Amino acid sequence: QVQLVESGGGLVQAGDSLRVSCAASGRAFDSYTMGWFRQAPGKEREFVASITWGGSAAYADSVRGRFTVSRDNAESTVYLRMHSVKAEDTAVYYCAATTPYYSGNTYRPWSYEYWGQGTQVTVSS
């Protein structure tokens, strides 16, 4: 069982930077592929970024070049660094974890077994 707790959300202005974190409990964090998703009011949950247990990162087109996903296996934490944020980045951001050594598609919410409770990011324009 893996428990995920996000933190670091808040209110920022357009163009600012922000880092959100996701701390995982449980064993073998380094075997999980981790993902970030977001959900804005009235919209479906959408993929933002992922980082595999091997360290490969993937991004949605809407954030590529502005967001960076990273992980610290010693701290069992995954990060999402957001630069040049826009009003359309406003959403609840969720982190998620797959089952160990998952090697499939990381863009789909149903690829992930565990989810955090989310952290709100609000960008004012």
Side-chain angles (χ1 to χ4, degrees):
Q1 187 74 11
V2 176
Q3 292 186 328
L4 304 172
V5 179
E6 300 94 337
S7 62
L11 174 64
V12 295
Q13 292 187 336
D16 284 352
S17 296
L18 182 70
R19 188 183 76 170
V20 292
S21 303
C22 173
S25 64
R27 293 160 51 176
F29 173 79
D30 57 357
S31 71
Y32 295 99
T33 287
M34 303 299 295
W36 284 100
F37 289 77
R38 66 187 181 186
Q39 189 166 18
K43 295 187 177 181
E44 293 186 353
R45 190 168 298 191
E46 65 174 1
F47 171 78
V48 176
S50 63
I51 185 165
T52 69
W53 49 270
S56 297
Y59 299 93
D61 289 343
S62 59
V63 306
R64 186 176 293 112
R66 298 189 298 121
F67 291 11
T68 302
V69 61
S70 61
R71 65 190 299 159
D72 184 337
N73 289 334
E75 296 295 326
S76 296
T77 301
V78 62
Y79 303 98
L80 183 69
R81 183 70 173 173
M82 300 183 282
H83 297 283
S84 303
V85 294
K86 305 174 182 179
E88 50 263 44
D89 295 323
T90 295
V92 177
Y93 283 72
Y94 298 90
C95 75
T98 65
T99 52
Y101 301 113
Y102 176 79
S103 60
N105 188 306
T106 64
Y107 295 77
R108 306 171 304 188
W110 53 89
S111 297
Y112 296 83
E113 186 76 14
Y114 307 101
W115 290 83
Q117 83 290 347
T119 186
Q120 176 71 47
V121 173
T122 303
V123 182
S124 63
S125 57

